Amino acid sequence: MSQAPSYKRILLKLSGEALMGDDNYGINRSTIEQIVGQIKEVVELGVQVGIVIGGGNIFRGVSSAASGMDRATADYMGMMATVMNALALKDAMGKVGLIARVQSALTMQQIAEPYVRGKAMQYLEEGKVVIFGAGTGNPFFTTDTAAALRGMEMNVDIMLKATKVDGVYTDDPKKNPDAVRYQTLTFDEAIGRNLKVMDATAFALCRDQHLNIKVFSIFKQGALKRVVLGEDEGTLVHC
Ligand code: UDP
């Protein structure tokens, strides 16, 4: 029996590091294929998918050169790195028959469409995956904040933050075997317990606009689909 998804439209936040796999930097082919495979599973359930991708995997390679650089210039480089990841993701999606569009917050018209809210909404309604590149387009921000903003603008039902760990734990599960995963947490509990779900700006935006966040591991096979089907996977941070 096929199950109905719990969400009609999602915003998936992937950090650049998610694409690295076990490599030290860059994009690992089998890792990106694994991630795209999971995205395909939920698109096939009829879920509309927007993605904000980070740039840490690419920018790390130049970060030593960037140290001592003007912060805004380094941040623009970081945003360009996210566009590279967005293009790689789109390419990998095309190979498995998913139709994706890249919209960039910085104008790069030869390689990506500019971000236009109405157009992005239309693509989502058509079942196309929309990958939002270049973060917010502003230095001094992060792609977590971009994910919160785009998620709100796209009226998504939930923000899914993909991490290496399968949720938020009472302690670092790698160091403490007794650490327990929270199934759910309120925004206030996360703040009170000093649990870093995402950066403070992004977190405050989600809390204020009542955009719930699910933290889960993209490296766990089938986890994205289980999240979308409302199964016990990851940690839900809610109002
Ligand atoms: N960045 C920025 N403004 C944004 C989003 C990103 O200036 O709105 C820059 C910033 O330098 C950041 C880099 O792009 O370090 C990559 O983004 P992020 O660190 O969020 O990527 P992730 O760690 O998720 O891979």
Side-chain angles (χ1 to χ4, degrees):
M1 196 182 77
S2 64
Q3 286 172 276
S6 301
Y7 311 109
K8 190 169 183 293
R9 184 177 289 177
I10 61 172
L11 191 292
L12 175 65
K13 162 69 210 294
L14 290 170
S15 71
E17 288 181 6
L19 302 186
M20 269 173 17
D22 292 329
D23 298 345
N24 292 326
Y25 61 88
I27 298 167
N28 179 283
R29 195 74 231 159
S30 62
T31 303
I32 199 170
E33 283 169 359
Q34 192 272 127
I35 292 172
V36 166
Q38 294 214 42
I39 294 167
K40 189 168 193 235
E41 283 185 345
V42 300
V43 170
E44 284 170 353
L45 289 173
V47 177
Q48 299 176 7
V49 182
I51 300 176
V52 168
I53 175 93
N57 56 321
I58 290 173
F59 197 50
R60 179 175 285 187
V62 289
S63 60
S64 57
S67 64
M69 268 180 69
D70 170 57
R71 165 78 191 264
T73 305
D75 279 352
Y76 279 114
M77 291 169 70
M79 286 185 265
M80 288 166 67
T82 73
V83 177
M84 292 170 74
N85 280 335
L87 293 176
L89 209 49
K90 176 179 189 276
D91 177 85
M93 287 187 183
K95 293 208 161 65
V96 296
L98 283 178
I99 304 173
R101 295 283 181 263
V102 177
Q103 289 202 344
S104 171
L106 294 174
T107 322
M108 303 189 189
Q109 56 188 8
Q110 282 80 8
I111 53 173
E113 296 178 29
Y115 171 63
V116 177
R117 178 175 183 247
K119 192 85 189 159
M121 297 275 249
Q122 182 194 325
Y123 286 147
L124 291 174
E125 278 153 18
E126 290 167 355
K128 299 184 174 94
V129 177
V130 184
I131 309 167
F132 300 101
T136 64
N138 298 292
F140 306 104
F141 285 95
T142 65
T143 50
D144 275 357
T145 300
L149 287 170
R150 295 292 179 255
M152 285 161 359
E153 285 190 82
M154 293 300 118
N155 300 328
V156 298
D157 301 311
I158 192 157
M159 146 110 79
L160 306 182
K161 170 142 168 127
T163 58
K164 286 183 180 161
V165 184
D166 66 339
V168 183
Y169 278 75
T170 49
D171 195 5
D172 184 345
K174 287 200 191 98
K175 293 181 190 149
N176 180 357
D178 297 327
V180 178
R181 171 173 63 92
Y182 293 104
Q183 275 186 314
T184 65
L185 271 172
T186 64
F187 281 96
D188 290 340
E189 282 167 345
I191 294 168
R193 294 174 201 177
N194 204 20
L195 301 166
K196 296 205 168 30
V197 176
M198 38 178 54
D199 75 69
T201 311
F203 195 73
L205 275 168
C206 290
R207 185 193 56 198
D208 294 349
Q209 297 303 318
H210 304 279
L211 177 58
N212 292 347
I213 307 165
K214 182 84 157 199
V215 181
F216 76 107
S217 169
I218 193 79
F219 297 113
K220 215 169 144 183
Q221 202 56 46
L224 180 59
K225 185 175 180 181
R226 282 196 295 279
V227 166
V228 160
L229 290 174
E231 293 175 15
D232 176 24
E233 188 66 55
T235 300
L236 178 70
V237 187
H238 62 96
C239 298

